Amino acid sequence: MDNFSDKSGVFVNPSELERQRKFTELVKTVLTARFGNEPKAFVHTYGCQGNVSDSERIKGQLRNMGYTFVLSPEEADLVLFNTCAVREHAEDRVFGNVGALKPLKEKKRDMIIVLCGCMMQQKHISERIKKSYPYVNLVFGTFAVHKLPEMLYTVLSRSKRVFEISASDGLIAEGLPTERDSGAKAWLPIMYGCDNFCSYCVVPLVRGRERSRLPEDIINEAKELIAGGAKEITLLGQNVNSYGKNPDCGVNFARLLRRINDIDGDFIIRFMTSHPKDCTHELLDAMADCEKVAKHLHLPVQSGCDRILKEMNRKYTRAQYLDLIRYAREKMPDLSITGDIIVGFPGETYEEFLETVSLIKEVRYTSLFTFIYSKREGTKAAKMPDPVPYAEKSKWFRELCAVQEETAGKRTASMVGKIYRVLTEPNETEGKLTGRTEGNITIEFDGPKKLIGQFVNVRVTDALTWVLFGELAE
Ligand code: SAH
Ligand code: SF4
């Protein structure tokens, strides 16, 4: 493994991780002297499951440095925001929330404020933080997660602000400690970065080049998770369908799925996100064959119009996408399909938008994540003329959502009376529990808390557009 790591240039050198372990001990000593035994950290995560998974590794490192976790910034000695850059709205929220920390920091001078993640990896953002938010102590990008102990030590021991956003293609740091948020549901990253450069998307700019973890590392982690009580494992990557190319692992995603499916135990496998251009029949066959793989495919189409797909650099056509859906449904008649749509890409006309509407009617998605195009600095689309006003795009957006609501409502209504096996999750209302069907539709039902983390059968008794209600069944 060591030889392999050095040759591939994809993995963080183990000696670097050893160095960081030494800094972990140093931070612990400083913290004990300053706060007593239990300094408290508040960690908040914005954005996708990739960020949630990074935060689990950030929290694992903080835990090893001696931190315990609290639920509000007011109780914390360290506040960390792991940020998202995918749309402007996400960034605005972060600025708002960082601004709200100022009075807190004025009251509690030795509180440490840390910002990290995709948004910070962008130079114009970290410059803005440097200039306009002087009370932020540490800013680091997506490539520096494993250096947290060293960065924090510099902040603590030298009372110095640290900005670590050096550009990099990105490396994989194996073996970082992980603090998991939920026992039964686990996130398992299989790859990082993205090489697709969809013209609207900032992810390849802030997450570096596509790189895959080795199959053995993934399988070992999956086995550990299952042995530790995990009942649902979600494999994560920006484009899981191209798993295994860098470094060449000799195992593609279809084969990886089969190997995880072969692990003993009662658990369910989910994955996201699939890119249509790399979604092969081999993968769909593997999904159909593997009894532990949820029959749910999240396959973002973004647009139903060939000209827009080309401008987006998505590398498939509407017809190719629909062919895939047809094949997938032939193989898995109960397959639940979800997707992502962007409304109002630069230069899109109303007629082109209507092609997306016709596509979503044809596919009959279970649900959709629908976004109005958001201009991202540094992307190709940011330079394209974008004449349609936001108010007009919002109208199109509502039109599309109304069509999707009708499809979703019909689907949930048709589920009433049927029984589904779901993994029980907590629900905020006393006496209530939540679960999700294989197809990823939420069901609420009554039941005791002791069922949380177990599979149960639930009979659907009632349905709204996006949620089902049910009762425990035999
Ligand atoms: N890698 C995944 C998705 C990552 S981002 C994929 O390719 O499917 C999640 C979703 O955010 C995208 O599918 C897209 O619909 C949306 N998105 C990304 N950039 C956007 C932008 N600039 N404006 C609006 N939506 C965007
Ligand atoms: Fe962004 Fe496209 Fe990569 Fe998804 S595949 S992360 S949309 S560039």
Side-chain angles (χ1 to χ4, degrees):
M1 163 85 197
D2 274 358
N3 277 344
F4 180 83
S5 316
D6 290 336
K7 261 192 257 156
S8 73
V10 172
F11 296 88
V12 174
N13 205 306
S15 63
E16 171 60 21
L17 295 177
E18 188 47 44
R19 247 186 95 239
Q20 295 301 328
R21 277 191 280 275
K22 292 192 180 129
F23 280 110
T24 301
E25 291 310 313
L26 288 172
V27 172
K28 208 177 199 168
T29 313
V30 176
L31 289 176
T32 313
R34 198 177 284 188
F35 296 103
N37 278 337
E38 284 207 338
K40 296 181 180 60
F42 171 77
V43 173
H44 185 73
T45 308
Y46 300 81
C48 69
Q49 277 78 11
N51 259 14
V52 173
S53 169
D54 281 353
S55 287
E56 290 183 343
R57 281 160 168 80
I58 288 168
K59 285 167 96 175
Q61 294 182 80
L62 289 172
R63 171 81 73 190
N64 280 4
M65 291 180 237
Y67 283 97
T68 53
F69 297 100
V70 289
L71 295 175
S72 74
E74 287 75 16
E75 303 163 70
D77 304 303
L78 178 145
V79 173
L80 182 146
F81 291 161
N82 188 4
T83 63
C84 168
V86 81
R87 282 169 294 275
E88 195 178 357
H89 178 65
E91 294 193 339
D92 290 344
R93 273 174 51 217
V94 171
F95 280 121
N97 290 348
V98 176
L101 291 176
K102 193 176 175 198
L104 205 59
K105 176 96 179 193
E106 277 164 3
K107 270 196 265 162
K108 204 171 168 183
R109 290 253 156 228
D110 59 0
M111 184 169 95
I112 291 171
I113 299 179
V114 185
L115 304 178
C116 65
C118 292
M119 190 177 159
M120 299 305 135
Q121 192 60 50
Q122 305 171 99
K123 205 152 184 223
H124 68 282
I125 300 281
S126 58
E127 291 294 329
R128 179 168 163 194
I129 300 284
K130 200 179 261 178
K131 245 186 29 215
S132 310
Y133 298 81
Y135 53 93
V136 172
N137 304 87
L138 167 60
V139 170
F140 63 94
T142 54
F143 304 120
V145 169
H146 63 280
K147 294 188 199 151
L148 180 57
E150 182 177 1
M151 296 183 293
L152 205 50
Y153 183 69
T154 310
V155 170
L156 284 163
S157 61
R158 297 201 219 144
S159 303
K160 207 177 129 186
R161 296 179 88 195
V162 172
F163 284 75
E164 172 55 75
I165 57 148
S166 353
S168 152
D169 284 348
L171 296 171
I172 297 176
E174 283 297 350
L176 289 182
T178 305
E179 170 100 4
R180 308 238 176 227
D181 287 338
S182 151
K185 273 172 58 181
W187 310 114
L188 178 45
I190 63 167
M191 61 197 299
Y192 302 95
C194 180
D195 283 352
N196 290 310
F197 292 95
C198 300
S199 61
Y200 51 82
C201 183
V202 77
V203 171
L205 310 182
V206 295
R207 285 275 175 184
R209 301 290 53 80
E210 185 178 292
R211 53 216 185 268
S212 297
R213 295 178 69 193
L214 298 181
E216 294 70 36
D217 290 331
I218 296 168
I219 298 207
N220 287 340
E221 191 171 338
K223 283 182 180 160
E224 271 167 34
L225 287 168
I226 293 154
K231 294 274 169 39
E232 177 183 295
I233 293 187
T234 304
L235 309 175
L236 297 177
Q238 290 300 344
N239 178 11
V240 290
N241 300 356
S242 70
Y243 170 79
K245 290 185 183 150
N246 175 38
D248 183 356
C249 302
V251 172
N252 64 13
F253 185 55
R255 269 183 273 154
L256 183 72
L257 264 190
R258 288 186 192 272
R259 284 181 60 180
I260 298 175
N261 189 67
D262 285 343
I263 299 174
D264 284 339
D266 186 12
F267 63 97
I268 181 166
I269 305 166
R270 297 183 185 274
F271 57 88
M272 64 191 303
T273 294
S274 287
H275 193 304
K277 85 176 162 60
D278 299 306
C279 183
T280 57
H281 286 195
E282 185 192 358
L283 169 62
L284 297 170
D285 293 346
M287 262 186 99
D289 290 346
C290 292
E291 73 289 354
K292 290 173 189 158
V293 174
K295 300 300 172 271
H296 168 216
L297 183 62
H298 184 65
L299 196 65
V301 69
Q302 314 297 358
S303 165
C305 165
D306 282 341
R307 188 188 78 81
I308 297 295
L309 286 172
K310 193 146 194 282
E311 291 289 305
M312 287 178 163
N313 194 29
R314 289 292 287 181
K315 301 200 174 82
Y316 53 84
T317 61
R318 173 190 177 106
Q320 285 165 336
Y321 183 87
L322 290 173
D323 272 351
L324 271 177
I325 300 289
R326 208 167 299 122
Y327 183 83
R329 287 216 163 108
E330 239 168 68
K331 283 273 160 176
M332 296 168 277
D334 291 332
L335 182 67
S336 164
I337 298 171
T338 57
D340 297 348
I341 300 282
I342 297 178
V343 172
F345 181 81
E348 184 175 45
T349 64
Y350 182 64
E351 287 65 36
E352 289 171 330
F353 158 76
L354 286 180
E355 290 188 51
T356 305
V357 176
S358 91
L359 180 129
I360 73 163
K361 283 184 181 160
E362 194 167 338
V363 176
R364 289 171 288 108
Y365 290 97
T366 304
S367 61
L368 279 178
F369 292 103
T370 319
F371 309 103
I372 294 181
Y373 168 74
S374 170
K375 183 173 171 177
R376 303 286 67 208
E377 199 167 310
T379 61
K380 214 169 156 198
K383 298 192 193 82
M384 298 177 184
D386 188 8
V388 177
Y390 191 83
E392 180 66 15
K393 292 183 183 182
S394 303
K395 259 203 272 173
W396 301 359
F397 178 85
R398 287 193 296 274
E399 187 176 335
L400 186 118
C401 292
V403 171
Q404 179 54 31
E405 259 177 46
E406 201 183 322
T407 314
K410 279 189 192 150
R411 176 181 306 268
T412 47
S414 75
M415 296 168 88
V416 174
K418 295 188 181 144
I419 293 178
Y420 295 89
R421 185 171 188 256
V422 301
L423 177 63
T424 310
E425 298 171 30
N427 183 306
E428 276 166 18
T429 313
E430 191 56 38
K432 295 253 177 244
L433 297 170
T434 299
R436 273 171 309 127
T437 63
E438 249 192 77
N440 216 24
I441 302 178
T442 303
I443 305 192
E444 286 189 8
F445 53 97
D446 291 338
K449 276 202 169 68
K450 66 172 193 235
L451 293 179
I452 291 172
Q454 293 184 31
F455 286 110
V456 293
N457 289 323
V458 178
R459 180 182 297 103
V460 178
T461 51
D462 207 354
L464 294 177
T465 308
W466 306 115
V467 61
L468 303 166
F469 302 96
E471 60 194 12
L472 284 167
E474 278 313 302

